[in-house]
Amino acid sequence: MDSADDDSIAYIDDDAADPRGERSDIRDGTAVGDPEATAAFDRDAERALVARAVAGDQNAISQVVRQLQDPLYRLALRMVGRPTEAEDATQEILLRVIGNLASWRAEAKLLTWAYRVGVNYLLNLRRQSPQEAAQLTFDRFGEGLADGLAAEDYRGPQSALLSAEVRLNCSQAMLQCLARDERIAFVLGDVFELSSTDAAWILGITAPAYRKRLERAKKRIGVFLRATCGVANPDAFCRCPRRVDKAVALGRINPDKPVFARHPVSPGGRTVVAAEDQMIRLHDAAAVLRAHPDYAVPQAKVQAIEALLRSGRFPLLDQS
């Protein structure tokens, strides 16, 4: 990427939570401080917050929504591919989470339990992504990447921004080449970096069954990336800066309104330079798909969700 545009974009990794309650610096597996003490504090704090929400405390309900909305949105976005559909899915998931808060028994951290609600919804979603509807496969996707690849890197206006948009758009489409069960296994394990025990609990399957599913997804994505992606494999043919002109011509990216590169993000976190430096250094399939911004639900959608919860039209909590 050209350094001239690097300061204009900020990205943060997807985050995920551990049912054991451990806090992490970047990922779910690297605990900070005393894990047992932190876990006990988190469990007590979450129990108190959920008890207030179940009792009808509007401030507590809003706090639960704010705590869960962005991680659930990132989960939905990785599964459905496009922000508009992810916003709608996130709203439905949050309503289901709030509507069933009384059933949470602290058997897992609140976010992990919410992931389970979200995964169940997303796996059974009737609406298909455009790639699902077109029955996109890795073979067809690879052929499309080879078609129209420029001989030189794009050097036009906002080259770094548009190269990043190509990469982010491509990695989203790549996930859609996986069947939903493989896609969610890969997202939970290699993107969010949850343990196999935690991911299996979310999916309601055994840990060995989850690991087998994850390994199948990793193998398929790894084979594809090593054959096509110059980030994962320097010897592969495709380069994001050489796809810009073709992507614009096909309408895959809009140079005036990038969908992913200028998407709202959560406060703080790594810059795009740090994320891409790590990704390029690792030459790792998971790193290519992990190096996304820490996307945030657009504020208008957040306000709409909170207004719905306050309206009285939605049965907030099932206390039966």
Side-chain angles (χ1 to χ4, degrees):
M1 293 180 63
D2 296 353
S3 59
D5 292 327
D6 285 342
D7 293 339
S8 64
I9 329 165
Y11 296 131
I12 311 167
D13 274 342
D14 292 310
D15 62 6
D18 192 320
R20 295 179 299 275
E22 296 178 355
R23 302 290 292 273
S24 62
D25 52 358
I26 297 176
R27 287 283 161 193
D28 205 35
T30 309
V32 175
D34 182 344
E36 292 186 5
T38 302
F41 174 81
D42 285 351
R43 282 195 299 270
D44 290 344
E46 288 194 331
R47 285 192 184 101
L49 175 63
V50 170
R52 287 167 47 213
V54 171
D57 184 326
Q58 288 290 338
N59 288 334
I61 293 169
S62 294
Q63 189 174 340
V64 169
V65 169
R66 288 192 297 270
Q67 179 177 320
L68 300 178
Q69 63 193 22
D70 288 352
L72 289 174
Y73 176 70
R74 292 189 284 272
L75 175 71
L77 186 56
R78 292 309 187 102
M79 287 298 292
V80 302
R82 307 299 294 179
T84 301
E85 287 78 8
E87 290 172 28
D88 292 342
T90 302
Q91 175 172 305
E92 291 301 318
I93 294 166
L94 282 168
L95 293 178
R96 291 173 185 229
V97 165
I98 297 300
N100 290 281
L101 265 183
S103 70
W104 180 66
R105 297 289 181 264
E107 68 272 41
K109 193 171 181 179
L110 182 61
L111 176 57
T112 309
W113 175 79
Y115 278 148
R116 184 168 183 165
V117 175
V119 163
N120 183 63
Y121 175 81
L122 291 164
L123 287 176
N124 292 288
L125 193 63
R126 290 187 178 182
R127 179 185 296 178
Q128 293 182 315
S129 70
Q131 293 87 358
E132 286 179 331
Q135 298 183 323
L136 184 67
T137 65
F138 283 116
D139 286 343
R140 289 175 58 194
F141 191 33
E143 291 170 1
L145 292 177
D147 180 25
L149 196 66
E152 301 291 336
D153 289 357
Y154 175 78
R155 297 295 180 183
Q158 302 189 99
S159 58
L161 177 72
L162 297 184
S163 294
E165 180 72 3
V166 167
R167 176 178 62 81
L168 296 167
N169 189 74
C170 181
S171 60
Q172 283 290 98
M174 199 182 305
L175 280 173
Q176 304 301 305
C177 294
L178 293 170
R180 287 186 184 181
D181 60 341
E182 294 179 344
R183 193 184 319 155
I184 195 62
F186 186 84
V187 169
L188 292 176
D190 268 34
V191 177
F192 288 2
E193 293 190 319
L194 296 178
S195 71
S196 59
T197 300
D198 302 340
W201 184 86
I202 290 169
L203 291 169
I205 60 178
T206 66
Y210 169 76
R211 287 192 291 269
K212 184 176 181 179
R213 188 178 299 179
L214 173 61
E215 193 59 35
R216 186 167 64 243
K218 288 172 64 173
K219 181 177 180 179
R220 294 186 66 201
I221 285 182
V223 168
F224 175 78
L225 281 169
R226 285 189 292 273
T228 62
C229 179
V231 176
N233 174 14
D235 295 326
F237 67 86
C238 193
R239 299 290 187 278
C240 298
R242 300 186 183 187
R243 283 290 304 170
V244 172
D245 284 326
K246 186 67 173 182
V248 171
L250 292 172
R252 301 278 171 76
I253 68 170
N254 182 347
D256 298 320
K257 192 176 180 181
V259 172
F260 295 106
R262 284 185 171 161
H263 191 290
V265 299
S266 300
R270 296 189 308 168
T271 67
V272 65
V273 176
E276 293 201 341
D277 280 351
Q278 181 189 41
M279 178 181 64
I280 292 169
R281 184 173 64 253
L282 289 174
H283 295 307
D284 172 66
V288 174
L289 296 176
R290 191 183 302 137
H292 271 240
D294 199 356
Y295 298 118
V297 183
Q299 192 58 35
K301 177 60 70 172
V302 173
Q303 292 170 352
I305 294 170
E306 293 187 344
L308 179 59
L309 290 172
R310 291 193 300 268
S311 69
R313 298 193 303 271
F314 176 73
L316 287 179
L317 300 164
D318 177 10
Q319 301 187 53
S320 60

